Amino acid sequence: MIDMNEIYGKDELPLQSLSSLPADGGFTGIFRKIGCIGDSLSSGEFQAKNEAGSPTYHDCFDYSWGQYMARIAGTTVVNMSRGGMTAKEYFDSFATDNGYWKDAETCDAIIIALGVNDVSQILAGNLEMGENTDFDPKRPFEAKNTFFGYMARIIYKIKGQNPYCHFFLVTLPDENGDSARETLNGLHRERIYQLAEMFSHIHVIDLRKYAPVYGKEFRSHFFLDGHMNPAGYLFTAKLMCGYIDYIVRHEPDMFMQVAFTHSPIFHPDYFK
């Protein structure tokens, strides 16, 4: 007999072990269409070198962790990403130019994994991280042009079209350093949690706290120069599926009506 405590173990942690990650994606499969908003690491980008020794970069979407998720969980995943993407560019032009606002209307869940290039822009003095006072849902057009402000506008715009879609916001992994970048990566995590508090149907995939440290040993297995190798993107897909499975199992009331996401049907006795 299956013990309910085994399904919804109260002492379980996200990404507790590799063996704990569901081989079939677990309850990630309740979402029939998932959108992935991100940068090169969401696009299956591989780094190579040309004959002159200069780096070349190639988005290979079939190798992205999103498409690995689709194959693992038997669901549909739409890549809404590109190498070099920032929250600013996504909101200002990229989503419009590629029809991704419309794609987002039909998603049951959206994973947003932005921040790497935004942090680079902050380090270069071209952007500020911002804070939760940079966006007020009652005055969205007055949002400040910070990372927080752009992220909030992305979520706000999609929720205006697709109010019951579930969002999963991803923190930046721990790279085991004490650099200015790592300090900002920690601040990025704080802002991700603040975004989750600002809107409904928002969940956090906290890779910074629960994923392996992306240090020298990790990179020797899962990176090809500055970007991941095929095994790295597959491993990331396992982490994403495992974490979403964990959230669905531990917050079951939040997901009772996923099947009604795009319809006027609902059950008033459950969270909508």
Side-chain angles (χ1 to χ4, degrees), residues 58-124:
H58 312 273
D59 283 350
C60 300
F61 291 105
D62 199 42
Y63 283 92
S64 67
W65 49 257
Q67 294 310 315
Y68 276 122
M69 284 180 68
R71 294 189 284 270
I72 290 170
T75 189
T76 297
V77 175
V78 180
N79 288 94
M80 298 187 282
S81 61
R82 193 201 64 208
M85 188 54 52
T86 63
K88 179 183 186 302
E89 183 181 359
Y90 191 90
F91 180 80
D92 282 348
S93 59
F94 184 69
T96 299
D97 293 346
N98 291 278
Y100 290 147
W101 298 124
K102 188 169 183 61
D103 282 337
E105 289 182 16
T106 59
C107 289
D108 305 316
I110 291 178
I111 303 170
I112 304 183
L114 289 169
V116 173
N117 297 304
D118 304 85
V119 167
S120 294
Q121 290 296 309
I122 293 168
L123 287 169

Side-chain angles (χ1 to χ4, degrees), residues 10 17 21 83 96 104 123 136 166 170 185 206 211 213 224:
K10 65 178 182 178
S17 67
L21 303 180
T96 299
L123 287 169
D136 183 346
H166 285 269
V170 185
N185 287 351
D206 196 348
V213 173
L224 174 64

Side-chain angles (χ1 to χ4, degrees), residues 18-72:
L18 185 60
S19 62
S20 71
L21 303 180
D24 62 354
F27 287 101
T28 301
I30 69 172
F31 301 108
R32 305 314 301 147
K33 185 176 180 182
I34 300 172
C36 292
I37 296 174
D39 49 35
S40 60
L41 294 175
S42 299
S43 304
E45 183 164 300
F46 296 119
Q47 186 170 335
K49 287 186 177 180
N50 59 24
E51 293 181 356
S54 300
T56 60
Y57 303 94
H58 312 273
D59 283 350
C60 300
F61 291 105
D62 199 42
Y63 283 92
S64 67
W65 49 257
Q67 294 310 315
Y68 276 122
M69 284 180 68
R71 294 189 284 270
I72 290 170

